[in-house]
Amino acid sequence: MSSVSGIAATPELVSAFADAIRNDDVRVFKISIVNETLVNDQTWPKSGDLMHDFERIQTYVEDNVPAYLLVRLDTTPTSEWLAISYVPDTAKVRDKMLYASTQSALKKALGDSRFKDSIFATSKVSMLLSPRISLGPLIKIALPHNLVFH
């Protein structure tokens, strides 16, 4: 399925996601746009509960490079996911536009009904805060004590 941008998910990505749903062993997919297609950049297995795994999520992305992170939730059914669009403020304008116009195609290609929620993050810190606000009791993350809100 292609998007407004014309970018579509590769068959390998769709297959890997379907396998992860069946096997229940993957916690995070990192999806990138490479050569005008959505590809599975990397995956990380479950290593604990969602809170434990989610605390490391900001290490999965680069400061200036957009990516999608698909995070398996600890819910029943276990096939529910959180879609994170990580588009740093410091990313190239073209990349920002591509990632913004392609997110819905990614979710559609993998099955819209699988995604419990979606968030948009412009920094590593906002990746930790947004799900906590939107998913409430599903994600309880220990935030740095020196984090101040204005």
Side-chain angles (χ1 to χ4, degrees):
M1 164 117 354
S2 67
S3 66
V4 173
S5 64
I7 295 173
T10 63
E12 295 81 10
L13 168 58
V14 174
S15 177
F17 190 73
D19 288 345
I21 289 169
R22 282 191 299 276
N23 297 326
D24 192 33
D25 57 350
V26 173
R27 173 68 75 190
V28 178
F29 274 88
K30 179 181 178 185
I31 311 298
S32 298
I33 297 174
V34 177
N35 296 327
E36 306 301 312
T37 58
L38 290 161
V39 299
N40 181 13
D41 193 346
Q42 194 166 359
T43 59
W44 289 269
K46 287 182 174 180
S47 64
D49 64 9
L50 179 61
M51 182 174 125
H52 176 265
D53 291 344
F54 204 87
E55 287 176 348
R56 294 189 321 242
I57 201 156
Q58 63 185 343
T59 65
Y60 300 162
V61 295
E62 300 171 51
D63 289 333
N64 302 319
V65 182
Y68 300 113
L69 296 175
L70 309 179
V71 182
R72 181 191 303 271
L73 301 175
D74 285 340
T75 58
T76 303
T78 59
S79 58
E80 289 186 324
W81 296 74
L82 170 67
I84 301 174
S85 292
Y86 172 68
V87 183
D89 289 330
T90 55
K92 296 176 183 173
V93 173
R94 181 180 186 279
D95 290 343
K96 289 180 185 182
M97 292 174 61
L98 280 177
Y99 278 81
S101 63
T102 307
Q103 179 187 21
S104 62
L106 172 63
K107 289 170 49 179
K108 200 169 271 188
L110 301 179
D112 281 330
S113 63
R114 300 273 181 214
F115 297 96
K116 176 139 178 94
D117 203 355
S118 297
I119 63 168
F120 183 82
T122 58
S123 69
K124 290 180 178 185
V125 170
S126 67
M127 276 197 299
L128 294 176
L129 297 178
S130 296
R132 185 174 183 167
I133 293 165
S134 67
L135 296 177
L138 293 177
I139 298 177
K140 297 179 181 113
I141 299 167
L143 296 173
H145 298 294
N146 62 349
L147 192 61
V148 178
F149 296 94
H150 296 280

